Structures are given as structure tokens and as C-alpha cells.
Amino acid sequence: MIPFNVPHLVGSEIDNISAALKSRQLSGDRAYSKGCETQLSKWLSDQPSLVVPSGTAALELACIVADFQPGDEVIMPSYTFSSTANAVVLRGGVPVFVDILPGTLNVDPSMVERAVTPKTRGILPVHYAGLVCDMSEICEIAHKNKLVVIEDAAQALGSFYNGQPAGTLGDMAAFSFHETKNIVAGEAGAFTTKHDDWHARAQIIREKGTNRAEFIAGQVDKYSWVDVGSSFLAAEIVCAFLNAQFSHLDTITKRRVEILDHYRAGLKDFESRGWLALQTVPQHCQINGHIACCVLDDRFDREAVMRDLLEKGVQTTSHYVPLHSSTAGRKFGRAGSSMIHTDRAGSQLLRLPIYADLTDVEVDTVLHALDEVLNEHAR
Ligand SMILES: Cc1ncc(COP(=O)(O)O)c(C=O)c1O
């Protein structure tokens, strides 16, 4: 069977974990945690970053730093993970869901603009499949309306927009190192901001609202409670694992991009038969090979296609249940636009296996199985 996802291990994780154990320094913000932040910042054109327990925690931290207040509206795509909206709801804010573009599958900036009200405080674009949203348009809308932009870059580490790294385009960004991501730590994430004062505040919030980081750096003689906060630190053992993964981010990204290119070359033929549509990647966007997806034509029953692919030994999956139609989405948020393309992606988007250890032969096996299954179902 070709599984949908296999986390890639680089080999040196266990040595790093042993070294962390030997150091007897196991809490957060220790050597490996700082090492991850140094490595990540290199990918972010030297923008500082903070390792946190998950992409979800990074989004929650960003929403605290943004100072969202009860009743504040934050515009985001409906086609995303619950964490994007939860982070806003936990501040008492209201997620306003808008549609995606049918080509890029990213939030439609014209829908974002139309959804702005006097209560809007922020925009939360999600870089779906690692493809960076139209950030020029989004940042212009934000600038005109004095809104904070938080990039949900959970899937986008190693992607670029006009040569600029994902995560450095808005005011703040969140990354994920969940086991399905390009580099993994089981569960971990990272926060980054381009504003130095917001970075300093995020450090305090991460440390239970204390200025412990300043104390460790020898800038104050004792530390105390100075702001709201939580425990958004990642444990040293997790960071030791992640540090090893970071050292291979370059080669992992290259391999995933190769696999995605291989898939896209094969799927182009299916697209020309009208069976499916590929995600369109604009010229100025460099994608990180995170997800291999396509949107099946309406004549296909996606679940039946997935079932038949599994019978042929290929595990595939769908993705998000659109948030505007979910139980919590209806309770805590509202739809700010029509949702034609979101609803189509919700019912027709198919994700194929992709991971650094997938071989070219296996990619061909997946393409062959998909050809057979779609051929059968197209009749
Ligand atoms: C778009 C998006 N945002 C946020 C998250 C949350 O990341 P984590 O699982 O690290 O909490 C995910 C996770 O898959 C995601 O896909």
C-alpha cells in the first residue's frame, strides 16, 4: 500500500535527543529551541521567530499580540483548518469567512475587500498547500483599512512570493511542524513577526506573561508577571528533534517539489480530458511541495474514487470541511461572501500521497491507479 503520509526522518534526531537529555535542561527556550529559531530565521530573511508547541498555539499567540477584542471581526477563508478560526474566537472575536479563488484555492482578495466592516480588525490569509496568497492585494486592503495581517503559513515553510519568504509578508505568521508537514516534530509550531516590539511582547506572552527571557539574558535581576500570557514554549526534547529536521529542510523541500512536479506533469493530461483541475501556481510564487491536490470534475463522486483507489493500494484523502458550514463555524462566525468555490473544494478536492521518501515509481503507480479509476468512473 502507498500511504498518504510518512513522516521523513533525517537520522540525527536521536543523537540530538540524547544530547538534550545529557544537558539536563529540558524545559522551553533552551539551546535546541534557540537553535531552531536561528535556523528558521535564516529561512525568513533574518526575521526573528519563536518556537511554540503547535501551529495552533502560534495562531493563538498572534491573536493575543494583535490585541483582538470581543466583537472584533477577522476575515479569513472558509476553506481552512479549525485552528485559524479558533484563535480569533478564543479572543472573543468573530471569524468572517469568505470564498477562495477557483484556481489558486487561496482566499479571494476581492471578497476580503467586500467583507470589511467598521468592526474589522484583521485579515488571516491561509497559504493553502504552501501556495502564498495574493499578499500584495491583501496587504493593500489591510493598509487602507488599518488592519493587522496574520499569515497562516502552517503549510508554507520554504515557499516564496516575489522572492520573499512566506511568513515575512504580513505583520505576523504561524508555521506548523505537525507530523504531516514538510519538516516535523510530532507537534510543534513557530511564530514570527516583522515588528521588534511585537516580538518582545510575544516572548513575554509565551513565558506565562513574565519577563523571564530578559532575566535569562541578564537584562533584569528578577522576573515577574508583566502582561497577559500562557505557556507557549516547546519542550527541549521536541526542539532537539526539530533541530535535526531543520538541517535537512533544503533537501526535503527539493524532493517534495520534484514529486509535485512529477504529479503535475501526469495530471495535466487528466486535466485536458476535463477530469480534474490542478491548483494554478502564479509565476511569482515558488511553492514548497507540501500538498499534491486536484479538484475533481463534478461528474465524479470523490468518496467513491477514494475508495476505489484504496482498493488499488493507494491511500488518498480529502481536506477541509468548509468552516462556514461547520457546527462551530455557524455558532461563532459568519459567512461574508458566497461560497461557490469553497463548497466545490469541500466536496471535490482530492489529495494524493506526498512525502520525501515517496519514489518516482510510486508516483507513477498513483497516477496509473488514478487513470484507471477516473476512466471507470467517467463512463
Ligand atoms: C492551515 C492550517 N492552520 C493551522 C494548522 C494547525 O497547525 P498544528 O497542527 O501544528 O496545530 C494547520 C494544521 O494542519 C493548518 O493546516
Side-chain angles (χ1 to χ4, degrees):
M1 223 253 301
I2 300 176
F4 170 70
N5 177 55
V6 180
H8 174 72
L9 297 178
V10 303
S12 50
E13 291 91 348
I14 198 73
D15 296 335
N16 280 10
I17 289 172
S18 300
L21 292 176
K22 276 199 198 108
S23 78
R24 296 287 203 270
Q25 300 203 316
L26 303 177
S27 58
D29 203 18
R30 301 291 193 163
Y32 277 117
S33 174
K34 289 183 199 302
C36 290
E37 289 162 2
T38 305
Q39 296 205 65
L40 175 55
S41 295
K42 275 192 205 134
W43 280 83
L44 302 179
S45 306
D46 292 329
Q47 188 167 297
S49 60
L50 296 172
V51 177
V52 296
S54 61
T56 302
L59 287 166
E60 289 173 15
L61 175 55
C63 287
I64 299 173
V65 173
D67 231 355
F68 292 144
Q69 298 296 315
D72 285 354
E73 294 181 355
V74 180
I75 303 168
M76 63 184 69
S78 170
Y79 198 66
T80 182
F81 197 50
S82 57
S83 300
T84 321
N86 262 325
V88 171
V89 172
L90 286 168
R91 309 314 312 148
V94 180
V96 175
F97 305 116
V98 296
D99 206 359
I100 51 173
L101 290 160
T104 62
L105 306 173
N106 274 335
V107 73
D108 181 342
S110 70
M111 298 288 187
V112 172
E113 184 147 38
R114 267 181 259 163
V116 174
T117 74
K119 288 186 176 170
T120 310
R121 293 286 171 268
I123 308 175
L124 230 164
V126 177
H127 305 321
Y128 184 70
L131 177 63
V132 180
C133 295
D134 187 345
M135 291 305 287
S136 304
E137 285 276 322
I138 288 168
C139 291
E140 202 179 309
I141 297 163
H143 185 71
K144 257 197 297 194
N145 295 282
K146 297 192 172 55
L147 309 176
V148 175
V149 177
I150 303 170
E151 293 173 68
D152 185 335
Q155 304 172 5
L157 180 57
S159 292
F160 294 84
Y161 177 88
N162 282 330
Q164 258 181 277
T168 63
L169 298 142
D171 294 290
M172 294 182 267
F175 292 102
S176 169
F177 307 115
H178 178 260
E179 94 168 17
T180 52
K181 299 300 184 287
N182 286 19
I183 61 165
V184 306
E187 303 277 357
F191 163 92
T192 185
T193 174
K194 58 164 64 132
H195 308 295
D196 290 344
D197 49 341
W198 291 12
H199 176 77
R201 183 157 185 243
Q203 265 187 311
I204 288 171
I205 296 165
R206 186 176 71 153
E207 268 284 12
K208 299 98 178 170
T210 74
N211 56 347
R212 188 165 181 271
E214 282 179 303
F215 171 70
I216 305 277
Q219 291 156 358
V220 290
D221 60 359
K222 51 183 173 311
Y223 71 92
S224 64
W225 186 25
V226 295
D227 198 349
V228 292
S230 187
S231 182
F232 287 133
L233 293 150
E236 186 67 349
I237 289 184
V238 172
C239 294
F241 187 106
L242 183 59
N243 207 287
Q245 292 262 318
F246 257 116
S247 315
H248 290 70
L249 177 53
D250 206 5
T251 47
I252 291 170
T253 308
K254 272 196 196 119
R255 178 62 194 142
R256 292 186 76 117
V257 169
E258 261 172 31
I259 295 168
L260 183 61
D261 287 347
H262 188 159
Y263 269 133
R264 287 176 68 91
L267 293 172
K268 271 245 165 318
D269 184 30
F270 304 171
E271 192 174 40
S272 63
R273 290 182 223 164
W275 287 355
L276 52 82
L278 286 168
Q279 186 181 31
T280 48
V281 180
Q283 276 283 313
H284 57 277
C285 290
Q286 195 181 320
I287 199 162
N288 65 353
H290 178 55
I291 286 175
C293 65
C294 57
V295 181
L296 296 178
D297 183 69
D298 285 338
R299 85 189 88 161
F300 297 108
D301 173 345
R302 179 187 60 190
E303 273 60 36
V305 168
M306 284 167 53
R307 241 184 348 258
D308 286 359
L309 283 169
L310 194 58
E311 257 178 41
K312 290 183 184 292
V314 176
Q315 188 185 33
T316 55
T317 179
S318 57
H319 212 167
Y320 307 121
V321 175
L323 296 187
H324 73 278
S325 53
S326 68
T327 307
R330 284 204 306 266
K331 184 169 171 191
F332 298 119
R334 66 175 173 82
S337 77
S338 59
M339 292 290 177
I340 304 164
H341 307 303
T342 299
D343 287 334
R344 270 215 77 219
S347 70
Q348 298 302 99
L349 187 136
L350 180 74
R351 295 164 72 194
L352 306 175
I354 186 162
Y355 41 91
D357 297 321
L358 194 68
T359 66
D360 292 342
V361 171
E362 285 171 326
V363 174
D364 284 331
T365 305
V366 174
L367 287 168
H368 183 68
L370 190 60
D371 190 8
E372 282 186 349
V373 170
L374 293 184
N375 227 325
E376 250 167 55
H377 285 246
R379 280 200 225 118

